[in-house]
Each structure stands twice: as C-alpha cells, then as structure tokens.
C-alpha cells in the first residue's frame, strides 16, 4: 500500500559470502539482480532509488569495503547497475555511505572514502549518506552539529553534498534520525538543525527520509509518542499529523 517512491537498500553479497566479490563480478548472480529489478518494476516501484551496496564504508555488511577491496566493490557495483538498468531503465542508482567519525580503513584523509569507493559518474545518479544523532555525532550545540556535518576524522553530510555538486550528481539522506540508545534521545535542536541543513542544500538534495523506528534498539519513532519534542518540531517544519 506504500504510494511513495521507494529508497531500496540493496546488499551486494549475502551474509555468509563476505568478501566473495567474484560471486557478483563473474556474472554468475546476474539473474538475482535482474530478478530484483523486475520485481520492483512489476510491482510499481520501477522508479526506485536503489542504494547499491548500502553503507559501503561500514563494517557490518558482507559487502563492506575498504581501501584493499575498493576495486572489487566498484566492479561489483558497476556490474549490478548494468544488469538492473537494462531490466528497469527508470531505476536510479546511489553510491551509499554512512557518516563516519573515522577515515576509511587503509586511507589517511578524512574524506578519502569518497574518491576511493566512488564507482563512476556513468553508473551513479547520486550519492546518499545515512546520519544519526549518536555516539560522537551527537549534536546539542551549533558547534557539535557543524562538527557532525564534517567530522574531523571522517566524512559527513556536508562532504557528501559538496561531492554531489562537484560531480554534478544528486544528493540524498535515505536514513536519518535521533537515537534513544546510543544518542541524545528526544532532541528537538537536532531536528531543527537538520531541517536547516536540508534547506541550505536544497538545490542538490533529491530526497531525505526520517528513520521512524519504535523498536527498543533505536527508539527513533516520531509517531508512537516516543519522542514528543522532536515529533512536534517535525510536524511544525515538515508538516503532517
């Protein structure tokens, strides 16, 4: 019953095939990715934003990449896009990262991940990046928020927006939100600052999506009464009930 445009997180490898890039680059799994594209198209989501190898700079997926596996990751990304694009040409494909307080393993520059993993403008419609108000990224002041947008030792949303402008591609934030376990919890200041950031980058921002999850592992929900102050700010600035 979902009537919006889908932001689809697509892993490149299953959990039990960590690092087995040849599964993808050899073409032996083309039918898997072709089938996913067909299912999206046939079920009314042929214009989805596909986050290929989502949060690639993390360490929690089988397709997680670093400097040593960058070439394999990029080759797999390119293979998947070529297969899915042929099946469903209205899909868009996103180079997807997570905001990080550390540089990519095997690199030294805080934002080296952007160039090390970028698969190429011919297969990328935009750069997408997830951001949560947690750990070292918690923002209760202007200075903290600015530091979270450009982490001193890692990459942030402001870096991604700049990268999108430089490469003339789109920018999106498919997951963002407060965090009630590892973060500040109900944080209306953070909500206002995120709205201001989106507004300031509106000429390159294609979409943003609040991660509304009531489960106890994150407790970020705005609709279930978990975070009433943040929910009130969201209603004020974004609209809705």
């Amino acid at each position: 019953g979902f009537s919006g445009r889908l932001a689809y997180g697509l892993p490149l490898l299953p959990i039990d095939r960590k690092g087995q890039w040849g599964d993808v680059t050899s073409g032996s799994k083309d039918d898997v990715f072709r089938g996913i594209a067909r299912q999206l198209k046939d079920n009314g989501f042929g214009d989805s934003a596909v986050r290929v190898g989502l949060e690639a700079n993390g360490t929690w997926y089988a397709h997680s990449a670093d400097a040593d596996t960058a070439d394999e990751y990029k080759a797999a990304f390119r293979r998947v896009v070529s297969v899915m694009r042929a099946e469903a040409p209205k899909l868009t494909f996103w180079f997807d990262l997570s905001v990080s307080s550390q540089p990519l393993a095997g690199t030294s520059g805080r934002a080296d991940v952007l160039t090390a993993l970028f698969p190429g403008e011919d297969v990328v419609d935009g750069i997408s990046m997830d951001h949560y108000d947690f750990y070292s990224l918690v923002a209760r002041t202007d200075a903290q928020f600015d530091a979270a947008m450009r982490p001193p030792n890692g990459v942030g949303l402001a870096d991604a927006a700049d990268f999108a402008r430089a490469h003339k591609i789109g920018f999106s934030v498919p997951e963002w939100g407060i965090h009630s376990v590892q973060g500040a919890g109900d944080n209306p200041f953070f909500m206002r600052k995120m709205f201001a950031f989106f507004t300031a980058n509106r000429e390159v921002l294609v979409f943003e999506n609040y991660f509304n999850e009531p489960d106890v592992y994150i407790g970020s929900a705005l609709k279930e009464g978990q975070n009433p102050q943040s929910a009130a700010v969201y209603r004020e600035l974004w609209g809705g009930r």
Side-chain angles (χ1 to χ4, degrees):
F2 178 64
S3 60
R5 180 169 292 181
L6 186 66
Y8 182 81
L10 177 67
L12 286 170
L13 294 167
I15 194 170
D16 61 344
R17 296 293 292 171
K18 181 176 176 60
Q20 300 301 309
W21 299 104
D23 290 357
V24 182
T25 57
S26 68
S28 65
K29 301 298 182 183
D30 284 359
D31 60 323
V32 173
F33 297 103
R34 187 177 297 111
I36 292 171
R38 186 179 302 118
Q39 287 179 343
L40 289 169
K41 180 179 63 176
D42 291 349
N43 286 278
F45 297 109
D47 61 352
S48 295
V50 182
R51 303 164 60 197
V52 181
L54 68 162
E55 298 181 342
N57 60 325
T59 59
W60 42 87
Y61 286 117
H63 62 252
S64 295
D66 56 25
D68 291 336
T69 58
D71 288 344
E72 288 88 347
Y73 159 77
K74 289 185 285 189
F77 189 110
R78 295 182 65 84
R79 180 87 192 192
V80 166
V81 171
S82 68
V83 170
M84 295 185 71
R85 184 178 279 167
E87 182 67 33
K90 292 184 179 180
L91 293 174
T92 59
F93 298 94
W94 293 78
F95 170 45
D96 191 83
L97 303 174
S98 179
V99 170
S100 176
S101 59
Q102 300 295 326
L104 182 72
T107 67
S108 56
R110 52 174 290 275
D112 284 351
V113 60
L114 296 173
T115 53
L117 297 186
F118 185 53
E121 294 172 3
D122 59 323
V123 291
V124 170
D125 294 292
I127 178 171
S128 51
M129 188 176 285
D130 297 338
H131 178 82
Y132 290 93
D133 184 43
F134 67 169
Y135 294 115
S136 61
L137 303 172
V138 166
R140 297 184 179 92
T141 68
D142 288 337
Q144 288 177 333
F145 186 82
D146 292 344
M149 293 297 100
R150 296 186 193 275
N153 297 309
V155 66
L157 294 183
D159 300 303
D162 289 347
F163 187 84
R165 292 184 182 95
H167 288 269
K168 295 180 172 55
I169 57 177
F171 165 59
S172 73
V173 186
E175 296 179 32
W176 71 272
I178 58 178
H179 206 297
S180 295
V181 181
Q182 287 96 20
D186 197 356
N187 190 353
F189 172 82
F190 172 77
M191 303 295 290
R192 292 189 182 279
K193 293 296 290 187
M194 288 298 289
F195 186 85
F197 174 81
F198 293 143
T199 302
N201 291 277
R202 60 188 178 275
E203 95 287 355
V204 72
L205 181 70
V206 177
F207 70 92
E208 51 87 9
N209 178 58
Y210 186 85
F211 194 80
N212 192 77
E213 175 53 77
D215 198 284
V216 293
Y217 82 91
I218 184 171
S220 65
L222 301 180
K223 291 186 176 181
E224 286 75 9
Q226 281 184 332
N227 302 284
Q229 296 180 77
S230 296
V233 172
Y234 194 90
R235 286 193 296 270
E236 173 193 344
L237 298 178
W238 278 267
R241 293 179 292 173

